[in-house]
Amino acid sequence: MFKCRILQKTNYNFLDDIVITAEPRPAKDRRLIQLVDILMGAVGYHWNELHLKENAKESKKYLAEYIAGKLGEKDLCFCTLASDRRFNIFRFIPDYR
Protein backbone atom coordinates (compact mmCIF):
# COMPACT_ATOMS: atom_id res chain seq x y z
CA MET A 1 0.00 0.00 0.00
CA PHE A 2 1.14 3.53 -0.67
CA LYS A 3 2.06 5.86 2.16
CA CYS A 4 1.22 9.52 2.22
CA ARG A 5 4.57 10.97 3.21
CA ILE A 6 3.49 14.59 2.65
CA LEU A 7 1.05 14.53 5.59
CA GLN A 8 3.88 13.62 7.94
CA LYS A 9 5.81 16.75 6.93
CA THR A 10 3.08 19.36 7.29
CA ASN A 11 1.56 21.51 9.97
CA TYR A 12 -2.08 20.65 9.27
CA ASN A 13 -4.53 21.50 11.97
CA PHE A 14 -7.25 18.95 11.34
CA LEU A 15 -9.56 20.61 13.88
CA ASP A 16 -10.13 23.68 11.69
CA ASP A 17 -12.74 23.73 8.94
CA ILE A 18 -14.32 20.41 9.87
CA VAL A 19 -16.98 19.19 7.46
CA ILE A 20 -20.29 19.19 9.35
CA THR A 21 -22.43 17.30 6.84
CA ALA A 22 -22.11 15.56 3.51
CA GLU A 23 -25.25 15.06 1.51
CA PRO A 24 -25.88 13.01 -1.63
CA ARG A 25 -26.83 15.04 -4.68
CA PRO A 26 -27.85 13.83 -8.14
CA ALA A 27 -25.08 14.55 -10.62
CA LYS A 28 -27.28 14.56 -13.71
CA ASP A 29 -27.56 18.35 -13.96
CA ARG A 30 -24.48 19.31 -11.94
CA ARG A 31 -21.40 19.48 -14.14
CA LEU A 32 -18.97 20.12 -11.29
CA ILE A 33 -20.12 16.94 -9.54
CA GLN A 34 -19.66 15.05 -12.81
CA LEU A 35 -16.15 16.47 -13.21
CA VAL A 36 -15.22 15.60 -9.63
CA ASP A 37 -16.56 12.09 -10.19
CA ILE A 38 -14.27 11.66 -13.22
CA LEU A 39 -11.22 13.03 -11.38
CA MET A 40 -11.87 10.91 -8.28
CA GLY A 41 -12.35 7.87 -10.49
CA ALA A 42 -8.98 8.45 -12.17
CA VAL A 43 -7.21 8.85 -8.82
CA GLY A 44 -8.95 5.79 -7.41
CA TYR A 45 -8.02 3.77 -10.49
CA HIS A 46 -4.33 4.32 -9.74
CA TRP A 47 -4.50 4.13 -5.92
CA ASN A 48 -6.37 0.81 -6.12
CA GLU A 49 -3.92 -0.44 -8.79
CA LEU A 50 -6.74 -1.21 -11.21
CA HIS A 51 -4.61 0.10 -14.10
CA LEU A 52 -2.22 -2.84 -13.53
CA LYS A 53 -4.87 -5.52 -13.99
CA GLU A 54 -4.92 -7.55 -17.19
CA ASN A 55 -8.48 -6.47 -18.04
CA ALA A 56 -7.96 -2.76 -17.23
CA LYS A 57 -9.98 -0.44 -19.43
CA GLU A 58 -7.68 1.39 -21.87
CA SER A 59 -9.78 4.57 -21.74
CA LYS A 60 -9.53 4.74 -17.93
CA LYS A 61 -5.80 4.02 -18.02
CA TYR A 62 -5.31 6.72 -20.64
CA LEU A 63 -7.30 9.34 -18.72
CA ALA A 64 -5.49 8.66 -15.43
CA GLU A 65 -2.10 8.74 -17.17
CA TYR A 66 -3.05 11.92 -19.03
CA ILE A 67 -4.04 13.71 -15.81
CA ALA A 68 -0.86 12.52 -14.08
CA GLY A 69 1.25 13.71 -17.01
CA LYS A 70 -0.35 17.16 -16.95
CA LEU A 71 0.58 17.33 -13.25
CA GLY A 72 4.15 16.28 -14.01
CA GLU A 73 3.73 12.93 -12.25
CA LYS A 74 4.14 9.34 -13.45
CA ASP A 75 0.86 8.29 -11.83
CA LEU A 76 -1.79 9.60 -9.44
CA CYS A 77 -0.48 7.73 -6.38
CA PHE A 78 0.71 10.75 -4.43
CA CYS A 79 -0.61 13.17 -1.83
CA THR A 80 -0.55 16.95 -1.98
CA LEU A 81 -0.53 19.81 0.45
CA ALA A 82 -3.76 21.73 0.90
CA SER A 83 -1.95 24.74 -0.54
CA ASP A 84 -1.23 22.99 -3.85
CA ARG A 85 -3.18 24.95 -6.43
CA ARG A 86 -2.97 22.44 -9.28
CA PHE A 87 -4.80 19.44 -7.91
CA ASN A 88 -5.32 18.08 -4.41
CA ILE A 89 -5.12 14.43 -3.41
CA PHE A 90 -5.56 13.49 0.24
CA ARG A 91 -5.51 10.00 1.65
CA PHE A 92 -8.49 9.91 3.97
CA ILE A 93 -8.50 7.23 6.64
CA PRO A 94 -11.77 7.39 8.59
CA ASP A 95 -11.73 7.09 12.36
CA TYR A 96 -14.54 4.74 13.35
CA ARG A 97 -14.65 5.44 17.08
Side-chain angles (χ1 to χ4, degrees), residues 58-70:
E58 287 299 319
S59 58
K60 291 182 179 185
K61 284 172 55 174
Y62 175 81
L63 180 61
E65 291 167 4
Y66 177 82
I67 294 168
K70 287 293 186 179

Side-chain angles (χ1 to χ4, degrees), residues 8-22:
Q8 298 167 354
K9 300 177 183 177
T10 63
N11 294 322
Y12 284 128
N13 180 351
F14 291 101
L15 300 177
D16 291 344
D17 300 325
I18 294 174
V19 174
I20 305 299
T21 62

Side-chain angles (χ1 to χ4, degrees), residues 18-65:
I18 294 174
V19 174
I20 305 299
T21 62
E23 300 175 6
R25 298 283 183 201
K28 182 179 177 186
D29 298 322
R30 293 176 171 87
R31 292 183 186 199
L32 287 178
I33 292 177
Q34 293 173 0
L35 178 60
V36 169
D37 188 38
I38 291 169
L39 294 173
M40 287 177 56
V43 171
Y45 211 67
H46 274 183
W47 274 86
N48 294 310
E49 298 182 345
L50 298 175
H51 64 296
L52 302 176
K53 294 194 180 276
E54 186 177 314
N55 61 345
K57 302 272 186 191
E58 287 299 319
S59 58
K60 291 182 179 185
K61 284 172 55 174
Y62 175 81
L63 180 61
E65 291 167 4

